[in-house]
Amino acid sequence: MASLCFNSLPLPPSQPRKLAEAPLNGGLKPIVINGDPPTFVSAPGRRIVAVGDLHGDLVQARCALETAGVLSSNGQDLWIGGETVNGNHETMNVEGDFRYVEPGAFDECIDFLEYLDEDEDSWDEAFVNWIAVSEGWKGDSMSPNHWAPWNLVKRQKGVIARSILLRPGGLLACELARHPVVLKVDDWVFCHGGLLPHHVEYGIERMNKEVSDWMRGLNELKSSPQLPFIATRGYDSVVWNRLYSRDAADLADYPSHQISSILKETLQAVGAKAMVVGHTPQTVGINCKYNCNIWRIDVGMSRGVLNSRPEVLEIVDNKARVLRSRSDIFGELEVVDCT
């Protein structure tokens, strides 16, 4: 799961590039957020858009967010959006598991640490400004790291830099700690892999707090487990579960009716109408199953996965539909009504 965004008004299909506007009549009730990090959100009357896994592809991510109408298409990357939900790759990096990290990402960690040492702005400003700075460095070929040969010494330096930033208590880990692994917005629940009945029984706010504390490095000062296993580790954890996202042929031990029953029990326990998940690429694009109680929104849009056309799930008045651009270059918007 990449991003959840809350807008006040639905975006007309004929105006895909226009950012959503705030209502003029002040008739909407305020958004109410409970939990730290956020766990339960009341956002009556708001348009919700959910974008699936990005896997580090900035070009495709921009296209998806433009399709959603939350990012300007004029190159200025103007944003109107909300909170994200942490997934398996976020938790893996905080664990120090860098198996899926490309060499360029290690390079960027080296550059980012050097930039932070030289920058006198606040962390928030430095974090926001980094993308523009890094792209400028790449364009000018000024960075000593981006174009240097990849060797063992450089790799070690990159691993150290990434570990400093993403270890529990590190600057980027603390940034990730602001976001939940499970988020319930009105009648919809969002998570990366999938929520199960025993997760709800354990407590989704409790899980979010434990993951956040772990990422902030606070668990070392408490009696809490070093790693929040139920949320971040194991095949049936919140960020790794694929029960609702795989084809029936891959789940011989779980008949369709049993999966539907587990999903129904989970939704009833958490008080939700439907669940939205990522994590498992869907070759047919965004789709729903089990009476549309589960929405699978990972379309494998990254060039490192399926290189699929970006798609976005839009929820308005408890009804969901799929938004996609008709071409690889952002253009006319195609809308598919599903419920």
Side-chain angles (χ1 to χ4, degrees), residues 184-190 260 263-276 288-295 314-321 338-339:
K184 182 175 181 287
V185 183
D186 296 332
D187 294 330
W188 296 73
V189 61
F190 300 82
S260 179
L263 175 59
K264 184 177 180 180
E265 180 183 350
T266 304
L267 292 175
Q268 288 178 343
V270 79
K273 167 189 174 180
M275 187 185 306
V276 180
C288 66
K289 198 172 181 181
Y290 308 116
N291 295 320
C292 282
N293 287 329
I294 189 76
W295 287 85
E314 177 189 67
I315 302 168
V316 178
D317 294 331
N318 258 340
K319 296 180 180 180
R321 63 180 186 172
C338 299
T339 60

Side-chain angles (χ1 to χ4, degrees), residues 144-319:
N145 297 310
H146 282 294
W147 307 111
W150 186 249
N151 54 50
L152 182 59
V153 174
K154 184 181 176 187
R155 177 179 175 81
Q156 290 176 334
K157 186 177 180 181
V159 170
I160 292 171
R162 194 170 185 88
S163 298
I164 290 172
L165 290 167
L166 283 160
R167 67 190 177 195
L171 288 172
L172 288 183
C174 288
E175 188 69 27
L176 294 175
R178 297 167 55 189
H179 308 298
V181 291
V182 181
L183 184 66
K184 182 175 181 287
V185 183
D186 296 332
D187 294 330
W188 296 73
V189 61
F190 300 82
C191 58
H192 183 70
L195 200 65
L196 298 171
H198 72 276
H199 298 146
V200 183
E201 182 179 0
Y202 187 81
I204 59 176
E205 191 167 10
R206 177 184 176 185
M207 284 192 296
N208 284 340
K209 185 69 165 57
E210 288 179 352
V211 173
S212 180
D213 285 352
W214 165 62
M215 288 183 168
R216 295 178 194 274
L218 300 181
N219 283 3
E220 298 176 1
L221 307 175
K222 300 179 180 180
S223 59
S224 303
Q226 287 296 305
L227 190 66
F229 191 89
I230 193 171
T232 66
R233 294 296 295 272
Y235 72 95
D236 66 346
S237 63
V238 175
V239 301
W240 286 103
N241 179 27
R242 299 183 192 270
L243 181 65
Y244 307 128
S245 301
R246 295 170 64 180
D247 294 332
D250 299 328
L251 295 167
D253 294 336
Y254 287 92
S256 180
H257 72 273
Q258 185 176 355
I259 299 173
S260 179
S261 177
I262 293 172
L263 175 59
K264 184 177 180 180
E265 180 183 350
T266 304
L267 292 175
Q268 288 178 343
V270 79
K273 167 189 174 180
M275 187 185 306
V276 180
V277 300
H279 188 47
T280 305
Q282 305 292 308
T283 57
V284 297
I286 291 178
N287 64 88
C288 66
K289 198 172 181 181
Y290 308 116
N291 295 320
C292 282
N293 287 329
I294 189 76
W295 287 85
R296 295 94 68 91
I297 67 170
D298 179 5
V299 298
M301 71 176 76
S302 168
R303 286 166 289 181
V305 185
L306 298 179
N307 197 26
S308 300
R309 175 176 55 177
E311 297 184 4
V312 174
L313 182 69
E314 177 189 67
I315 302 168
V316 178
D317 294 331
N318 258 340
K319 296 180 180 180

Side-chain angles (χ1 to χ4, degrees), residues 2-22:
S3 183
L4 295 176
C5 312
F6 306 97
N7 295 136
S8 298
L9 297 175
L11 194 64
S14 60
Q15 302 176 18
R17 300 190 184 191
K18 183 180 179 183
L19 296 176
E21 300 172 349

